[in-house]
């Protein structure tokens, strides 16, 4: 039996999947539990919806045209701490792990049970404590203003270019973790990472 959670009602949920049947089912089920729901069929449309609507939770498929779920996770995580649940089919272990490493918080394997999905949605929203969109955060002696795209160290602003800021945010959100060059490039430049490889390593980045 599906149970609603009053304290989480009206939370905004963005569902991203290129299969209309899945988005219809998820919209119906989530709406019946009190959530506000928007859907998108691919990554670019999802990013537009995300910027305009600021959802408190994102549910995304992994395989989609133009931009896959892994890249979408990277793009969203670069600007927000909103919880992300990925939908994967059985046997996509490698891609599932890649999605989690790129910022996803949880995953549900297709075909999935509605009760399980709703339980994971409730858990993700509880963990976010209503702060899905983070305006700023602190990392050591640094304070990062995500909205203003500024970094301060001990009260003094650190001048960074837009890409340096994106790199700093990504590394600050992954402390005590070895991050490969490829991961950094893809996290900031996405699908055009290879075009910038020479620039990135030739000039260096001041962080």
């Amino acid at each position: 039996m599906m149970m609603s959670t009053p304290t989480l009602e009206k939370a905004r949920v963005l569902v991203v999947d290129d299969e209309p049947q899945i988005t219809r089912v998820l919209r119906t089920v989530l709406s019946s539990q009190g959530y506000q729901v928007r859907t998108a069929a691919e990554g670019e449309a999802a990013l537009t919806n995300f910027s305009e609507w600021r959802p408190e939770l994102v549910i995304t498929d992994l395989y989609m045209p133009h931009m896959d779920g892994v890249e979408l996770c990277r793009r969203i995580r670069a600007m927000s701490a909103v919880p992300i649940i990925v939908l994967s089919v059985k046997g996509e272990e490698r891609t599932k792990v890649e999605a989690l490493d790129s910022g996803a918080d949880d995953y549900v394997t297709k075909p999935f049970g509605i009760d399980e999905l709703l339980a994971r949605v409730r858990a993700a929203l509880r963990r976010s404590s209503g702060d899905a969109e983070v305006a700023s955060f602190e990392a050591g002696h640094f304070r990062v203003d995500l909205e203003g795209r500024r970094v301060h160290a001990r009260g003094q602003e650190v001048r960074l270019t837009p890409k340096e800021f994106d790199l700093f945010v990504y590394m600050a959100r992954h402390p005590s973790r070895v991050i490969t060059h490829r991961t950094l490039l893809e996290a900031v430049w996405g699908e055009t990472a290879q075009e910038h490889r020479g620039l990135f390593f030739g000039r260096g980045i001041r962080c």
Side-chain angles (χ1 to χ4, degrees), residues 147-167:
E147 186 173 355
R149 294 182 66 81
R150 293 175 179 159
V151 175
H152 290 80
R154 300 181 185 276
Q156 298 295 316
E157 183 173 356
V158 180
R159 299 290 182 179
L160 298 175
T161 67
K163 288 303 180 188
E164 287 172 346
F165 177 83
D166 291 340
L167 282 167

Side-chain angles (χ1 to χ4, degrees), residues 91-165:
E92 290 179 341
E93 192 69 26
R94 182 176 178 181
T95 306
K96 189 189 312 178
V97 170
E98 188 179 2
L100 291 170
D101 284 342
S102 298
D105 299 275
D106 198 0
Y107 67 88
V108 177
T109 302
K110 297 179 180 179
F112 51 83
I114 294 301
D115 287 337
E116 177 189 359
L117 176 63
L118 289 174
R120 291 180 183 273
V121 166
R122 292 193 295 270
L125 289 170
R126 281 197 302 270
R127 287 194 298 269
S128 69
S129 301
D131 296 324
E133 182 181 351
V134 176
S136 64
F137 68 94
E138 294 185 359
H141 298 300
F142 296 94
R143 181 168 184 79
V144 183
D145 176 4
L146 294 174
E147 186 173 355
R149 294 182 66 81
R150 293 175 179 159
V151 175
H152 290 80
R154 300 181 185 276
Q156 298 295 316
E157 183 173 356
V158 180
R159 299 290 182 179
L160 298 175
T161 67
K163 288 303 180 188
E164 287 172 346
F165 177 83

Side-chain angles (χ1 to χ4, degrees), residues 70-71 73-75 77-78 94 97-103 163 166-171 173-174 177-194 197 200-201:
V70 173
E71 177 63 16
C73 287
R74 292 194 185 105
R75 298 283 189 91
R77 191 55 73 231
R94 182 176 178 181
V97 170
E98 188 179 2
L100 291 170
D101 284 342
S102 298
K163 288 303 180 188
D166 291 340
L167 282 167
F168 184 90
V169 168
Y170 186 85
M171 289 188 288
R173 281 177 162 165
H174 298 80
R177 179 185 298 183
V178 176
I179 305 174
T180 65
H181 296 159
R182 179 184 177 85
T183 297
L184 278 176
L185 284 169
E186 293 182 347
V188 176
W189 280 282
E191 296 177 352
T192 63
Q194 294 304 318
R197 177 179 288 275
F200 178 72
F201 294 111

